[in-house]
């Protein structure tokens, strides 16, 4: 049974996962190498809790109980020593994930499960960095984690049935709906999302319409909650480009990144996190 969860990486996804973990009743520790990142994460997580109380989604007492279950650390090796589950949520770069999984494999209890939060990368390859591939799986959370209903769970080649069942139960206790799928590059959601987002950049590049027009057409015509450019700015254009490069390498020409997307990333227009992406946020927040 999973009671103690360690979340590695306190970026946008990591802090969201830590929030739903603590809110779901798990004793949770958020780990990052940078103390200032942890302080930023704590401030945002506390704000999400306060907002939930103001909207009557949770009580003040439940908020305080959840906050008491949540702690922060810069020492990964020490943090995982009593963990039942480690959820890695660092950037989508294989060398970083390799280092994380080698470290947690060396220090976590043998019964501990490992999950990687990834939208495209292979849980089978990530599992190869450990001596327990049967206990490794991918949990694809969506941004913003506290609002999005789905966790896409992806089995690697050697993931056991028990691991898949335990991780599904964990996600459901966090208040999420789940789908459990087998590994293939891009899984289900990222393959579709990457195609739509990339095609939107091709249309913008070709002068089919403005970002506002294209987003409005997709939202109202196809009933998407966000337009492809709004979503790209939220996720990060660099993240979207990295995903497309990976899918292009694995699945072929239909995923070749639009040149305009590459230009935006080279210009440092990465989306909301830099204040400017497809849209300009400098005077909006």
């Amino acid at each position: 049974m999973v009671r103690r969860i360690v979340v590695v990486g306190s970026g946008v996804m990591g802090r969201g996962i830590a929030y739903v973990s603590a809110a779901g009743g798990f004793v949770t520790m958020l780990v990052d190498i940078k103390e200032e990142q942890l302080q930023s994460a704590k401030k945002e997580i506390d704000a999400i809790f306060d907002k939930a109380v103001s909207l009557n989604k949770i009580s003040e007492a439940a908020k305080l109980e959840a906050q008491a279950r949540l702690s922060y650390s810069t020492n990964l090796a020490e943090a995982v020593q009593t963990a039942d589950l480690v959820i890695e949520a660092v950037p989508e770069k294989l060398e970083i994930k390799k280092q994380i999984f080698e470290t947690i494999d060396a220090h976590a209890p043998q019964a501990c499960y490992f999950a990687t939060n990834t939208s495209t990368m292979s849980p089978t390859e990530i599992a190869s960095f450990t001596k327990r591939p049967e206990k490794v799986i991918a949990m694809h959370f969506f941004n913003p984690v506290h609002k999005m209903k789905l966790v896409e769970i992806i089995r690697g080649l050697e993931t056991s049935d028990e691991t898949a069942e335990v991780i599904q139960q964990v996600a459901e206790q966090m208040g999420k709906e789940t789908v459990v799928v087998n590994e293939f590059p891009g899984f289900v959601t990222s393959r579709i999302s990457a195609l739509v987002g990339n095609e939107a950049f091709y249309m913008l590049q070709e002068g089919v319409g403005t970002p506002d027009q294209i987003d409005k057409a997709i939202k109202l015509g196809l009933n998407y909650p966000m337009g492809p450019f709004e979503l790209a700015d939220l996720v990060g254009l660099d993240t979207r480009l990295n995903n497309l490069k990976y899918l292009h390498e694995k699945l072929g020409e239909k995923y070749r990144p639009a040149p305009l997307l590459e230009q935006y990333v080279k210009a440092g227009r990465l989306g909301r996190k830099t204040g400017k992406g497809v849209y300009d946020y400098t005077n909006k927040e």
Side-chain angles (χ1 to χ4, degrees), residues 25-44:
F26 298 102
V27 176
T28 306
M29 183 173 288
L30 182 60
V31 178
D32 200 289
I33 57 174
K34 296 181 179 179
E35 180 64 36
E36 60 269 27
Q37 268 285 97
L38 289 173
Q39 292 302 318
S40 171
K42 183 178 186 305
K43 183 177 180 181
E44 183 174 341

Side-chain angles (χ1 to χ4, degrees), residues 96-148:
I96 301 176
K97 292 183 185 284
K98 182 175 188 291
Q99 182 181 1
I100 295 295
F101 275 86
E102 288 175 344
T103 299
I104 64 178
D105 191 47
H107 296 279
Q110 196 54 44
C112 186
Y113 301 94
F114 296 161
T116 176
N117 175 59
T118 180
S119 55
T120 55
M121 298 181 75
S122 165
T124 299
E125 185 171 13
I126 290 169
S128 73
F129 305 142
T130 77
K131 295 181 177 66
R132 59 185 95 182
E134 74 285 353
K135 288 185 172 290
V136 180
I137 201 164
M139 296 180 78
H140 180 198
F141 289 84
F142 295 81
N143 186 22
V145 177
H146 65 289
K147 292 183 179 179
M148 298 296 282

Side-chain angles (χ1 to χ4, degrees), residues 52-121:
V53 171
S54 72
L55 295 174
N56 294 316
K57 291 185 176 180
I58 61 171
S59 67
E60 180 71 20
K63 180 195 85 167
L64 295 174
E65 289 172 5
Q67 287 175 320
R69 287 190 289 268
L70 183 55
S71 58
Y72 303 82
S73 175
T74 57
N75 190 327
L76 176 59
E78 184 179 280
V80 301
Q81 288 179 7
T82 59
D84 299 313
L85 167 63
V86 179
I87 303 176
E88 164 272 311
V90 302
E92 297 274 63
K93 295 182 179 179
L94 192 62
E95 62 273 17
I96 301 176
K97 292 183 185 284
K98 182 175 188 291
Q99 182 181 1
I100 295 295
F101 275 86
E102 288 175 344
T103 299
I104 64 178
D105 191 47
H107 296 279
Q110 196 54 44
C112 186
Y113 301 94
F114 296 161
T116 176
N117 175 59
T118 180
S119 55
T120 55
M121 298 181 75

Side-chain angles (χ1 to χ4, degrees), residues 19-275:
Y19 170 83
V20 297
S21 175
F26 298 102
V27 176
T28 306
M29 183 173 288
L30 182 60
V31 178
D32 200 289
I33 57 174
K34 296 181 179 179
E35 180 64 36
E36 60 269 27
Q37 268 285 97
L38 289 173
Q39 292 302 318
S40 171
K42 183 178 186 305
K43 183 177 180 181
E44 183 174 341
I45 291 169
D46 287 344
I48 297 172
F49 274 120
D50 289 340
K51 183 71 175 292
V53 171
S54 72
L55 295 174
N56 294 316
K57 291 185 176 180
I58 61 171
S59 67
E60 180 71 20
K63 180 195 85 167
L64 295 174
E65 289 172 5
Q67 287 175 320
R69 287 190 289 268
L70 183 55
S71 58
Y72 303 82
S73 175
T74 57
N75 190 327
L76 176 59
E78 184 179 280
V80 301
Q81 288 179 7
T82 59
D84 299 313
L85 167 63
V86 179
I87 303 176
E88 164 272 311
V90 302
E92 297 274 63
K93 295 182 179 179
L94 192 62
E95 62 273 17
I96 301 176
K97 292 183 185 284
K98 182 175 188 291
Q99 182 181 1
I100 295 295
F101 275 86
E102 288 175 344
T103 299
I104 64 178
D105 191 47
H107 296 279
Q110 196 54 44
C112 186
Y113 301 94
F114 296 161
T116 176
N117 175 59
T118 180
S119 55
T120 55
M121 298 181 75
S122 165
T124 299
E125 185 171 13
I126 290 169
S128 73
F129 305 142
T130 77
K131 295 181 177 66
R132 59 185 95 182
E134 74 285 353
K135 288 185 172 290
V136 180
I137 201 164
M139 296 180 78
H140 180 198
F141 289 84
F142 295 81
N143 186 22
V145 177
H146 65 289
K147 292 183 179 179
M148 298 296 282
K149 295 178 180 179
L150 182 69
V151 173
E152 188 178 26
I153 298 170
I154 304 94
R155 300 177 59 137
L157 180 64
E158 298 184 66
T159 303
S160 69
D161 291 341
E162 181 210 8
T163 297
E165 290 167 7
V166 167
I167 297 306
Q168 189 172 15
Q169 290 167 5
V170 167
E172 289 171 355
Q173 189 173 326
M174 290 177 177
K176 302 302 182 184
E177 297 284 342
T178 63
V179 292
V180 181
V181 300
N182 294 317
E183 178 186 339
F184 204 80
F187 318 140
V188 174
T189 56
S190 292
R191 286 178 67 174
I192 299 297
S193 179
L195 277 175
V196 172
N198 200 38
E199 189 63 26
F201 268 98
Y202 275 115
M203 288 192 289
L204 182 61
Q205 181 178 300
E206 293 158 1
V208 173
T210 66
D212 280 327
Q213 291 168 334
I214 294 169
D215 273 351
K216 184 176 182 180
I218 296 299
K219 285 190 290 186
L220 299 184
L222 301 182
N223 205 27
Y224 279 36
M226 296 181 73
F229 296 122
E230 292 172 323
L231 181 59
D233 276 355
L234 178 64
V235 170
L237 271 63
D238 53 339
T239 300
R240 173 53 55 85
L241 179 59
N242 286 339
N243 289 348
L244 280 165
K245 286 180 176 178
Y246 177 82
L247 292 170
H248 178 230
E249 176 189 342
K250 298 296 183 182
L251 299 177
E253 279 302 299
K254 63 184 176 181
Y255 289 97
R256 180 181 290 279
L260 184 61
L261 171 59
E262 295 187 293
Q263 272 191 317
Y264 275 47
V265 172
K266 287 176 182 176
R269 294 175 60 166
L270 306 184
R272 286 182 174 271
K273 61 188 173 184
T274 59

